[in-house]
Amino acid sequence: MLMPASDAKVGDAEGTTCRGGVLEPAGIVEIKYRDRDLLKTMHRIDAKLIAWSQDLAKTTSGSQDAKQIKDAITQREKELLPLYQQVSIKFADLHDTPGRMHAKGSIRQVVPWATSRRYFYHRLQRRLAEERVRKLIKDTRPDLSYTDSTTILQKWFVEKGHTVESWDDDHLVLAWLRDDDASFSSRSRDLQQLIHHEGSETPDIADAYLAAISKLPLETQRKLAEKLRAQLG
């Protein structure tokens, strides 16, 4: 069974056989772009067929001129059909390349084969380190979903001065998870402390929040203070 939260597909940037489709390009053409569709395409873009079709419309049906034009059209279609079939197969194949799959969001990243070992090493180490922190969060808040824990992790990541866009950088996130390993336990305890105060009959919420805020970077503390002043007037 596939697990969307843990599954990530990538494609080889240099591979000529890296494809995501079930059918071969020729099979797709047989279903989606048959000979009758190719004939329509010919009559839409081939100058000779366009001109002959216009001449045929002006001639009397059943006349000798009409017969000659029809024969010329049929012969032209036979000549062009193999070429159009090859083009249609290539066209279908171009829709199933790593670059196109990445553009459509079907795969997470295009990875060169030469660096794939390094990529998957950092990817695996990042996910293992990430899951350890997720477990700390889950132990504190069992009600949180996988998405909720991701939001908390991203928030902590940004608070360390990183950008949201760099969350997909496995090497950078792994370094952050390792460097801040000790702080995650402390942050989780702060979450637990907040829950304890919020659930008590005489909560001292202000002290709990101040304890949590004091562990944030100074710039983040300054921004929070400005927001509080704006709300309190």
Side-chain angles (χ1 to χ4, degrees):
M1 181 177 67
L2 291 177
M3 301 176 64
S6 303
D7 181 52
K9 296 179 284 295
V10 299
D12 178 17
E14 301 168 1
T16 58
T17 59
C18 180
R19 298 292 184 267
V22 176
L23 293 175
E24 293 291 329
I28 296 175
V29 171
E30 281 292 324
I31 298 172
K32 298 284 189 179
Y33 212 2
R34 298 181 179 180
D35 287 353
R36 63 172 179 269
D37 300 309
L38 293 175
L39 293 175
K40 291 178 182 178
T41 303
M42 291 179 202
H43 282 267
R44 189 175 68 250
I45 64 178
D46 185 70
K48 288 185 177 181
L49 289 176
I50 292 173
W52 288 337
S53 296
Q54 292 172 349
D55 293 341
L56 182 62
K58 299 174 184 177
T59 59
T60 303
S61 178
S63 65
Q64 185 64 27
D65 290 341
K67 183 179 181 303
Q68 290 178 352
I69 294 173
K70 287 181 179 180
D71 290 341
I73 289 175
T74 301
Q75 182 61 32
R76 180 69 173 170
E77 289 174 345
K78 289 180 180 179
E79 293 174 356
L80 293 177
L81 187 58
L83 175 61
Y84 274 65
Q85 287 174 333
Q86 293 178 21
V87 172
S88 65
I89 291 173
K90 183 62 177 178
F91 180 75
D93 189 39
L94 288 174
H95 281 72
D96 197 20
T97 59
R100 184 59 181 163
M101 287 190 286
H102 183 249
K104 295 291 288 184
S106 301
I107 60 176
R108 179 178 185 269
Q109 191 172 341
V110 178
V111 180
W113 179 257
T115 60
S116 60
R117 185 185 294 259
R118 186 182 306 113
Y119 169 84
F120 285 112
Y121 169 80
H122 286 113
R123 181 66 182 163
L124 176 60
Q125 293 299 318
R126 177 251 174 97
R127 293 308 301 268
L128 291 173
E130 193 176 314
E131 289 304 315
R132 284 194 291 270
V133 181
R134 287 184 190 278
K135 186 178 184 303
L136 290 174
I137 297 172
K138 194 70 174 177
D139 290 342
T140 303
R141 291 288 304 274
D143 58 308
L144 293 180
S145 67
Y146 189 92
T147 302
D148 293 332
S149 63
T150 298
T151 301
I152 293 173
L153 279 170
Q154 288 178 335
K155 177 177 176 293
W156 292 348
F157 182 68
V158 172
E159 286 172 355
K160 289 297 288 186
H162 303 295
T163 63
V164 176
E165 292 74 17
S166 59
W167 179 251
D168 289 332
D169 187 335
D170 293 330
H171 191 277
L172 179 62
V173 174
L174 175 60
W176 167 67
L177 289 168
R178 287 175 171 173
D179 292 343
D180 279 24
D181 185 60
S183 71
F184 294 132
S185 297
S186 176
R187 286 173 182 266
S188 297
R189 285 195 298 270
D190 291 339
L191 284 174
Q192 194 170 21
Q193 184 180 11
L194 286 173
I195 294 171
H196 172 73
H197 282 291
E198 289 172 356
S200 64
E201 294 182 359
T202 57
D204 191 0
I205 298 176
D207 289 343
Y209 272 103
L210 287 173
I213 291 173
S214 66
K215 299 181 183 297
L216 297 176
L218 291 177
E219 181 63 20
T220 304
Q221 293 183 34
R222 184 183 64 79
K223 291 180 180 179
L224 287 173
E226 291 176 353
K227 289 182 179 180
L228 285 171
R229 290 194 194 99
Q231 290 181 358
L232 296 175

